Amino acid sequence: MILRMGSERLDLPAEIGRMHGIPRRVYEHWCRVAALEDGIPTLAAFHMKAVAYADPYICLVGVEEDPRRYRMLRVGEDLISHYGADFTDKCLDELNVRNIDAIIELDNDIVATRTPIAALVTIGLLGIPIIRLNGIGVPLVDETGRISHIVSCTTREMFGFGV
């Protein structure tokens, strides 16, 4: 398993230890189901209702082939609020949002490696942390074993500046 942050690849289990909250719980659910399924779970086995606590932060992405595209099948309320738009039924390559190429690259990595990807990113200004992103993306397969879906879960933590 890998972690991808920028162009650096790190060991995912080590980063999971640093993760917290809802994304970590979604990852742990995926691991439990993967163990029961003896491999990557299907969408039905993953059972989205089991992670209903994460609904505002979850995106369910369908993986389309020929050409490869990623269609947003379900977009959590937190992401809708953050972007000011609901991207349900849109493909990632149709979106005009910052860092979309990096998101597509991460999804490509999930499909190519068939493993989860974690991201722990702190965004700052002049060395002062402003927001921390804590996220996970996990693959799901169809009945043929092809990666058919990606479930991503990302939370944001805002830092106060105080006076």
Side-chain angles (χ1 to χ4, degrees):
M1 292 184 206
I2 60 172
L3 164 81
R4 179 162 179 133
M5 293 178 67
S7 60
E8 184 179 2
R9 290 178 175 274
L10 302 169
D11 181 55
L12 179 62
E15 284 305 306
I16 287 296
R18 289 183 34 211
M19 289 184 74
H20 57 86
I22 293 171
R24 182 175 178 145
R25 289 174 57 199
V26 169
Y27 171 75
E28 289 169 347
H29 172 71
W30 183 88
C31 288
R32 282 189 300 275
V33 177
L36 291 172
E37 293 289 300
D38 200 26
I40 302 170
T42 63
L43 178 60
F46 183 77
H47 198 58
M48 292 294 289
K49 287 184 181 180
V51 293
Y53 57 84
D55 275 351
Y57 311 102
I58 291 273
C59 279
L60 176 62
V61 178
V63 180
E64 299 177 357
E65 298 294 342
D66 299 320
R68 165 85 44 80
R69 295 181 85 191
Y70 300 100
R71 184 170 303 278
M72 306 289 281
L73 302 176
R74 181 175 175 189
V75 181
E77 295 170 17
D78 183 67
L79 289 170
I80 293 170
S81 174
H82 178 75
Y83 287 109
D86 183 352
F87 299 130
T88 303
D89 292 327
K90 301 269 191 219
C91 285
L92 290 181
D93 60 355
E94 298 172 330
L95 304 182
N96 185 21
V97 298
R98 188 169 35 130
N99 298 325
I100 196 65
D101 291 337
I103 295 168
I104 292 170
E105 185 179 339
L106 290 172
D107 285 347
N108 283 335
D109 279 354
I110 292 170
V111 172
T113 64
R114 301 175 64 84
T115 59
I117 289 179
L120 295 165
V121 180
T122 299
I123 300 168
L125 180 64
L126 302 173
I128 301 169
I130 298 172
I131 188 170
R132 179 180 298 133
L133 303 175
N134 185 30
I136 188 80
V138 296
L140 302 174
V141 294
D142 64 15
E143 60 282 345
T144 69
R146 179 186 74 83
I147 303 296
S148 59
H149 295 87
I150 296 170
V151 174
S152 66
C153 178
T154 304
T155 58
R156 292 168 188 73
E157 176 185 356
M158 300 295 291
F159 294 96
F161 287 97
V163 270

